Amino acid sequence: MEKDTITLCSPDDRKTCFGCCPPIRPPGYEHVQYRGMMVQRMLRENTRTFDKAGRDVVPITGFSCWALGYLDPDYRRIGCLLHPARNGGRDLRYRVDYGEKCRRETCPEAKTFSLLDEREKSFWMNLADDLDSFSFSSRKRNPLFTLLGWGPRLLQWIAGKERGKHFTADLFFKTYPFFKTTLSPRANAYLLYRGMTPDTLHLLKEPGFRMEFEDFSGNVAAALAGGAPETPEGIPIFRLSMDEHFRDLLRLFLRRSRIPVEAALCLKADVDRMVQSFFSSR
């Protein structure tokens, strides 16, 4: 990791994201829920007792990892003490029983963030400027987790349009009330960006557009509810050579896991027609 490169996992010298450490936890678990003195004391103890020279594999127990600790002397940045960035390029994550999973673990939001350029990343990081490592790692408290779900193209357009402006989270959501929607971003991203252009971003600032889009999303779901049922000859959604956001729509919006290619193409044509009709009337 380059020191001057902004990443979602390590955005600055005051906070980090450690939301996926350890990689096996109950659904909905968040470290911020347990940030009391006991957890902070555990992190300090992990840091104090960490032995770089150790070679033994020590299994993770419970929902905490013995290699999760503080990365700085001020006890602000939290992360993996076994990571190669911490150990002169040596990857010591084999020492936990989930080492392989730790190495490949990257959340969808981090992948989206990596597609932005440094100026765009800086623009969006302003929304999380006042968060510490616990809050920044929380999907409920860090607004970037929701916003990044809408995909890189939309975020790039907004950052370009608002170039030179500094948005706090409160100011951004007041300026762009659309993003207060409770719709799942990844499930609905295709419906939004397929119809948007850089010249129509003003719709996201109009108070009524959010409700109109939410109604549209519900209409699409109702219209396609019985379309293209799953069949044994269908292929897994992730193997379809189609737009990633459309695959998310099939999987998260229409709840399909396998589908024939021809059926997927027909659904895409139907969705595209509905999107075009919705946005052409705006």
Side-chain angles (χ1 to χ4, degrees), residues 134-228:
F134 280 95
S135 296
F136 188 73
S137 302
S138 168
R139 291 182 173 274
K140 296 178 180 179
R141 300 192 186 185
N142 184 350
L144 296 182
F145 277 114
T146 298
L147 292 169
L148 286 164
W150 293 104
R153 186 182 305 180
L154 193 64
L155 271 62
Q156 289 165 342
W157 289 347
I158 294 174
K161 181 178 181 62
E162 305 292 357
R163 181 176 299 182
K165 298 180 182 178
H166 185 288
F167 282 89
T168 62
D170 286 343
L171 179 58
F172 178 81
F173 287 109
K174 287 179 182 178
T175 305
Y176 286 90
F178 169 81
F179 292 105
K180 294 181 180 179
T181 180
T182 57
L183 291 176
S184 166
R186 289 183 64 196
N188 289 271
Y190 185 81
L191 298 179
L192 183 63
Y193 96 83
R194 182 65 176 167
M196 296 289 296
T197 70
D199 294 329
T200 58
L201 288 176
H202 63 89
L203 291 173
L204 304 178
K205 296 183 176 183
E206 297 179 3
F209 180 71
R210 179 181 66 188
M211 185 174 295
E212 292 176 1
F213 184 84
E214 289 171 349
D215 289 343
F216 168 63
S217 174
N219 292 337
V220 172
L224 301 180

Side-chain angles (χ1 to χ4, degrees), residues 7-52:
T7 71
L8 191 62
C9 295
S10 184
D12 56 40
D13 60 0
R14 294 177 288 111
K15 58 181 173 289
T16 54
C17 179
F18 63 105
C20 60
C21 300
I24 304 297
R25 296 192 308 275
Y29 174 95
E30 289 197 343
H31 295 290
V32 72
Q33 297 171 305
Y34 307 95
R35 64 170 302 166
M37 290 304 297
M38 183 175 68
V39 173
Q40 296 182 47
R41 186 164 55 248
M42 177 196 70
L43 293 171
R44 291 195 184 208
E45 184 66 13
N46 288 350
T47 307
R48 186 184 67 80
T49 60
F50 178 69
D51 179 12
K52 289 186 179 182

Side-chain angles (χ1 to χ4, degrees), residues 1 5 68 88 92-93 113 115 118 126 182 194 202 212 226 244 272 282:
M1 181 188 304
T5 298
L68 182 63
L92 304 179
R93 286 174 290 186
F113 194 74
L115 299 176
E118 296 305 298
N126 288 331
T182 57
R194 182 65 176 167
H202 63 89
E212 292 176 1
E244 179 181 0
D272 287 350
R282 303 275 112 22

Side-chain angles (χ1 to χ4, degrees), residues 46-158:
N46 288 350
T47 307
R48 186 184 67 80
T49 60
F50 178 69
D51 179 12
K52 289 186 179 182
R55 292 291 182 269
D56 296 334
V57 174
V58 181
I60 297 174
T61 58
F63 304 136
S64 63
C65 176
W66 58 268
L68 182 63
Y70 287 104
L71 306 178
D72 66 309
D74 296 322
Y75 302 109
R76 295 185 299 187
R77 304 175 75 243
I78 302 169
C80 179
L81 300 173
L82 299 170
H83 194 279
R86 178 77 176 172
N87 296 283
R90 292 183 303 144
D91 191 347
L92 304 179
R93 286 174 290 186
Y94 69 87
R95 294 184 58 196
V96 297
D97 48 350
Y98 292 123
E100 287 299 325
K101 183 171 177 59
C102 293
R103 270 188 284 274
R104 68 176 183 264
E105 197 81 356
T106 302
C107 70
E109 293 80 10
K111 293 178 181 178
T112 296
F113 194 74
S114 70
L115 299 176
L116 308 180
D117 65 29
E118 296 305 298
R119 178 186 55 81
E120 293 161 349
K121 291 176 182 177
S122 295
F123 172 85
W124 290 107
M125 281 306 308
N126 288 331
L127 277 63
D129 190 55
D130 61 343
L131 302 181
D132 64 6
S133 291
F134 280 95
S135 296
F136 188 73
S137 302
S138 168
R139 291 182 173 274
K140 296 178 180 179
R141 300 192 186 185
N142 184 350
L144 296 182
F145 277 114
T146 298
L147 292 169
L148 286 164
W150 293 104
R153 186 182 305 180
L154 193 64
L155 271 62
Q156 289 165 342
W157 289 347
I158 294 174

